[in-house]
Each structure stands twice: as structure tokens, then as C-alpha cells.
């Protein structure tokens, strides 16, 4: 039977850890959308074991504290097995220090987040699965009928206008704290899993209208994969673009223009410190607002 932990303690654990594995060499995102994996994959690891024969068992530890936030550390399945298989190395003191340092890192980057202000005049890209998840987490209801069975946004015809208006309304009112993309680069390792806002020039590659209704295939080769990218300091920020979620022919023209100024939101997916690469999943991409919007 699956244990039921105090919900307030579980929320506190995930919140303080930013939903990521606490191991500094891992930092894996533990709350996934359907296109990434099977939902929530985090493991609530006990610092002091529940049973008398478990790893780091301590008969003197208060029983009423065993299943609480104070005695937990959030880990991915792999790191959970590592710490439980070697309790001599990963003592209670070591795990408490790992937890504390991870939460301090989360706090330091969270302090740099600020509320996002909607700044898009035209929507070129809508990552429907990601935006649906984000909207649901923020309590916004979606018209699921208009979203069901979408083969590609470009193929929706007149129905596309309804979908775009729906997400434009949500995005313009949603309460979302974000990192500016430049700050995410400054704190690259700690920014994993965070939502970033951007408004800057990007280069574009391999984004074709002919691929709009084909399954996205990522080869791991930036010479072939559809993406936009920019250089910030010594880092290259890459955002994979699934042609399925490009909105209009005009949007495809913009993505095919080699270089354009885009604004929007993205989630940091992985960081390659050795090669100075940051990979992000775009949530929404569009033309930034200007002082001339609404004049005509």
C-alpha cells in the first residue's frame, strides 16, 4: 500500500527543492510533462530510515518526525538508490548538508525571479502541451474541445484564431514568476527547470512548413534539428522548435528568415557546462510588442 505523507510537508519539500533532484551533480527535473516522461518521478528519501534495519536507522530519532519535511530529501530515482546503497558514505549529516545547500541555491536564483509581463503582439509559436500544463497548474480552465486531436496549428484554418485568442487571454493574465534569460545564463547550473523570459535577436535553423504535420525527430545534431539560438556571453542558448506548434505561414516565414527578434517564455531543460550550451523548451514565441501596437 502506498504511504500517504502530510500534503503540506510534501508541497514544502518540492517547493524548497524547486522540483529538482537535490544532488548538485544531478539537479534533474522531477515533474515532467507527458512529452518528456511519466509525470512526477521524484523520490521522497528518508534521511533517517523508517524501519530499524533501514539505511541510517536511528532508534533515538523521534517517531513523529520520521515522515515529515525535516527528515526528507528530494531525489531522483537514481540518486535515491545511490544514497540508500551506501549509507556509510551518505550519512544523515551528509544528506542534511546536501539538502541545505540545494535549497540555498534554489533560494538564491528564486530571489532573481520577477513577475512576467505579457509583451507579445503576435503569436508565432504555442507549445500546447506545455502551456496546457502551465495553465492547469495556475488554475486556468482551457477549452479542451478546441485543443483535442490537433495535428498541427498551421492546419487548423479558422479554428486557429480561437486557439490563439484563448492562450493570448491566459498568457496576458497569468501570474508567473520568471528569470530573464540573461540571468539564467549567469546562473546556468542553478537555472535548470526554471521558466525564463526573453526578448532578443535569435538565429533560426531548419524550421520548415513541410514538417508541420510530421512527428518531431531530434537527431541531436544542431546542423539538422529545427531550432532557434542566441549567444549570451560565452554561452549558446538553443531552443528546439517543433513545426507542429508554429501558428501561421507568416510565422514560418519569420522562422525561416535566418535572424529575427523574438520574445516569449521557455523552460531550461539541460545545461552543458563543458561546451557552454543551454537547451530550453520554448513555451510561447512571438513578435515583441512595440509602442506602435494598436495605432492602426
Amino acid at each position: 500500500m502506498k504511504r500517504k505523507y502530510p500534503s503540506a510537508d510534501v508541497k514544502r519539500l518540492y517547493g524548497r527543492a524547486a522540483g529538482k533532484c537535490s544532488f548538485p551533480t544531478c539537479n534533474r527535473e522531477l515533474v515532467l510533462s507527458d512529452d518528456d516522461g511519466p509525470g512526477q518521478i521524484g523520490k521522497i528519501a528518508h534521511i533517517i530510515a523508517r524501519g530499524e534495519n533501514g539505511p541510517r536507522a536511528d532508534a533515538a530519532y523521534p517517531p513523529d518526525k520520521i515522515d515529515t519535511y525535516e527528515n526528507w530529501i528530494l531525489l531522483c530515482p537514481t540518486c535515491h538508490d545511490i544514497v540508500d546503497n551506501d549509507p556509510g558514505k551518505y550519512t544523515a549529516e551528509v544528506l542534511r548538508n546536501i539538502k541545505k545547500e540545494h535549497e540555498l541555491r534554489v533560494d538564491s536564483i528564486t530571489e532573481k525571479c520577477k513577475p512576467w509581463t505579457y509583451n507579445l503582439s503576435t503569436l508565432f509559436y504555442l507549445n500546447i502541451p506545455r502551456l496546457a500544463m502551465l495553465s492547469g497548474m495556475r488554475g486556468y480552465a482551457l477549452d479542451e474541445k478546441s485543443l483535442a486531436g490537433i495535428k498541427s496549428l498551421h492546419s487548423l484554418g479558422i479554428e486557429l484564431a480561437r486557439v490563439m485568442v484563448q492562450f493570448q487571454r491566459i498568457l496576458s493574465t497569468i501570474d508567473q514568476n520568471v528569470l530573464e534569460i540573461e540571468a539564467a545564463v549567469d546562473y546556468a547550473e542553478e537555472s535548470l527547470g526554471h521558466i525564463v523570459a526573453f526578448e532578443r535577436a535569435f538565429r533560426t535553423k531548419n524550421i520548415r512548413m513541410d514538417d508541420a504535420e510530421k512527428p518531431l525527430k531530434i537527431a541531436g545534431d544542431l546542423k539538422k534539428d529545427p531550432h532557434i539560438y542566441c549567444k549570451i556571453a560565452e554561452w549558446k542558448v538553443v531552443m528546439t522548435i517543433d513545426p507542429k506548434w508554429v501558428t501561421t505561414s507568416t510565422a514560418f516565414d519569420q522562422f525561416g528568415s535566418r535572424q529575427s527578434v523574438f520574445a516569449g517564455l521557455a523552460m531550461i531543460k539541460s545545461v552543458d557546462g563543458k561546451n557552454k550550451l543551454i537547451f530550453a523548451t520554448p513555451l510561447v514565441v512571438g513578435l515583441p510588442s512595440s509602442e506602435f501596437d494598436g495605432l492602426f
Side-chain angles (χ1 to χ4, degrees):
M1 181 180 295
K2 190 174 182 179
R3 302 188 194 108
K4 288 188 176 181
Y5 296 132
S7 60
D9 287 61
V10 173
K11 290 178 182 178
R12 184 182 177 191
L13 181 72
Y14 270 83
R16 292 299 310 278
K20 295 186 286 186
C21 180
S22 300
F23 254 53
T25 55
C26 180
N27 212 32
R28 182 180 179 186
E29 186 182 354
L30 302 178
V31 183
L32 309 178
S33 65
D34 290 342
D35 57 333
D36 289 321
Q40 191 278 112
I41 61 170
K43 294 292 184 180
I44 297 176
H46 287 77
I47 296 173
I48 301 298
R50 297 183 86 253
E52 61 182 14
N53 296 318
R56 297 169 300 277
D58 182 355
Y61 194 79
D64 61 335
K65 296 291 186 181
I66 289 290
D67 286 329
T68 63
Y69 162 80
E70 285 75 13
N71 189 45
W72 293 339
I73 180 172
L74 187 63
L75 300 172
C76 72
T78 300
C79 291
H80 180 275
D81 289 344
I82 289 173
V83 303
D84 277 1
N85 289 335
D86 194 355
K89 178 179 181 180
Y90 297 104
T91 64
E93 182 180 3
V94 167
L95 292 186
R96 291 190 183 108
N97 285 334
I98 289 174
K99 177 182 178 180
K100 180 180 179 180
E101 290 172 5
H102 176 68
E103 291 182 348
L104 286 174
R105 289 195 302 272
V106 170
D107 289 344
S108 69
I109 197 168
T110 300
E111 289 174 358
K112 300 183 181 302
C113 292
K114 61 182 182 180
W116 182 54
T117 300
Y118 184 78
N119 63 334
L120 301 170
S121 63
T122 306
L123 299 178
F124 290 152
Y125 187 83
L126 289 169
N127 189 331
I128 299 296
R130 286 284 187 175
L131 289 173
M133 181 176 69
L134 180 65
S135 301
M137 291 172 63
R138 296 295 182 273
Y140 288 81
L142 294 171
D143 178 6
E144 295 184 8
K145 183 180 294 186
S146 65
L147 303 177
I150 294 177
K151 292 183 178 180
S152 73
L153 290 179
H154 180 255
S155 67
L156 289 181
I158 193 65
E159 188 65 26
L160 175 61
R162 185 180 302 175
V163 172
M164 292 176 71
V165 167
Q166 180 178 189
F167 280 101
Q168 192 170 35
R169 184 181 300 117
I170 291 173
L171 288 166
S172 62
T173 58
I174 196 167
D175 180 16
Q176 177 64 52
N177 286 334
V178 299
L179 274 173
E180 295 294 336
I181 194 169
E182 292 79 9
V185 168
D186 288 339
Y187 295 86
E189 299 294 341
E190 289 78 16
S191 69
L192 189 65
H194 279 273
I195 294 178
V196 298
F198 55 88
E199 182 177 337
R200 60 185 299 118
F202 284 82
R203 302 284 292 182
T204 68
K205 292 197 73 172
N206 309 320
I207 305 167
R208 294 177 285 267
M209 190 186 303
D210 291 345
D211 296 329
E213 296 188 35
K214 300 176 183 178
L216 176 65
K217 294 183 178 180
I218 301 299
D221 182 351
L222 294 181
K223 294 181 180 180
K224 299 178 180 179
D225 293 339
H227 66 280
I228 62 176
Y229 69 94
C230 64
K231 293 292 293 292
I232 303 176
E234 71 271 31
W235 289 85
K236 183 176 183 178
V237 182
V238 179
M239 300 185 190
T240 300
I241 296 293
D242 186 342
K244 177 178 182 177
W245 306 124
V246 178
T247 56
T248 63
S249 298
T250 300
F252 273 109
D253 289 341
Q254 201 75 26
F255 282 126
S257 61
R258 293 194 176 184
Q259 181 168 319
S260 291
V261 174
F262 295 125
L265 295 176
M267 179 179 289
I268 303 296
K269 291 295 297 175
S270 64
V271 177
D272 180 351
K274 180 179 179 180
N275 295 303
K276 298 298 181 181
L277 284 170
I278 296 175
F279 292 92
T281 298
L283 308 181
V284 58
V285 181
L287 191 67
S289 302
S290 77
E291 58 183 315
F292 302 108
D293 289 346
L295 292 181
F296 303 101

